[in-house]
Amino acid sequence: MDGGQFSFPIRLEPFRFELMDSIVLRWPEAIGDLGTMRDAVSSQPENARMAFLGERLVGAGGALRLWQGVGLAWVAVEILPPRLAFAAVRACRDGLDEIQACGQFHRLQADIRRDFLPAHRLAVLLGFSYEGPMNGYSADKSDYDRYARVMK
């Protein structure tokens, strides 16, 4: 048995703005303009992490503080082979756990476009619970659903 078989191939590091544009998004239509996201995070870099596979940036995520104790979670991921799916979810969950604890968020919420099914599945895997519909929520009147992770 290979000793490295159980190693965790994805590592988390502090957010670095200069690398954000290099992520090849898997579902770019769900994120919108990556530059806009980067700008929104610029005031709160302590609440964001980047994920690396070796030296390659494969994702980023974090929380934007809405008000004391409440943050809006976001994730941007690169296309990864299926064999890395578990490690990617684990890295995202570990990062959100750290951000939620260190950022003193008792609640993280995620607003997900209703027709973006992979993001709904990811939200559940990351420990979010479905809260309900948000009809006509976006500027283009698309329907969204809200999920939340609440620490008791």
Side-chain angles (χ1 to χ4, degrees):
M1 192 180 297
D2 176 29
Q5 181 178 352
F6 298 105
S7 65
F8 188 48
I10 297 178
R11 72 181 189 289
L12 296 174
E13 293 187 7
F15 188 83
R16 297 192 333 236
F17 298 104
E18 68 274 11
L19 298 179
M20 191 63 182
D21 290 331
S22 68
I23 295 176
V24 178
L25 295 176
R26 183 167 188 163
W27 299 287
E29 70 281 359
I31 288 292
D33 178 33
L34 200 54
T36 301
M37 178 194 296
R38 184 185 56 224
D39 294 343
V41 177
S42 67
S43 65
Q44 303 173 40
E46 69 279 5
N47 295 327
R49 304 290 181 274
M50 297 190 118
F52 290 86
L53 178 61
E55 296 303 312
R56 191 174 92 209
L57 175 64
V58 294
L64 300 173
R65 187 174 306 281
L66 298 175
W67 49 83
Q68 186 173 347
V70 178
L72 179 65
W74 62 273
V75 175
V77 295
E78 182 181 318
I79 297 170
L80 293 174
R83 65 182 176 79
L84 293 174
F86 176 77
V89 169
R90 182 174 161 195
C92 284
R93 191 172 187 130
D94 289 350
L96 285 174
D97 289 348
E98 181 182 328
I99 288 166
Q100 194 163 9
C102 295
Q104 298 179 344
F105 293 107
H106 65 269
R107 174 186 173 87
L108 289 179
Q109 59 192 45
D111 303 334
I112 302 172
R113 202 178 67 214
R114 182 147 317 136
D115 63 350
F116 186 37
L117 299 180
H120 290 264
R121 289 191 297 270
L122 179 60
V124 171
L125 289 171
L126 296 178
F128 286 80
S129 298
Y130 179 76
E131 289 195 322
M134 300 185 330
N135 297 323
Y137 180 71
S138 66
D140 68 359
K141 300 181 184 174
S142 293
D143 295 335
Y144 278 65
D145 291 306
R146 169 142 313 148
Y147 288 79
R149 278 174 49 137
V150 180
M151 293 175 65
K152 302 287 180 187

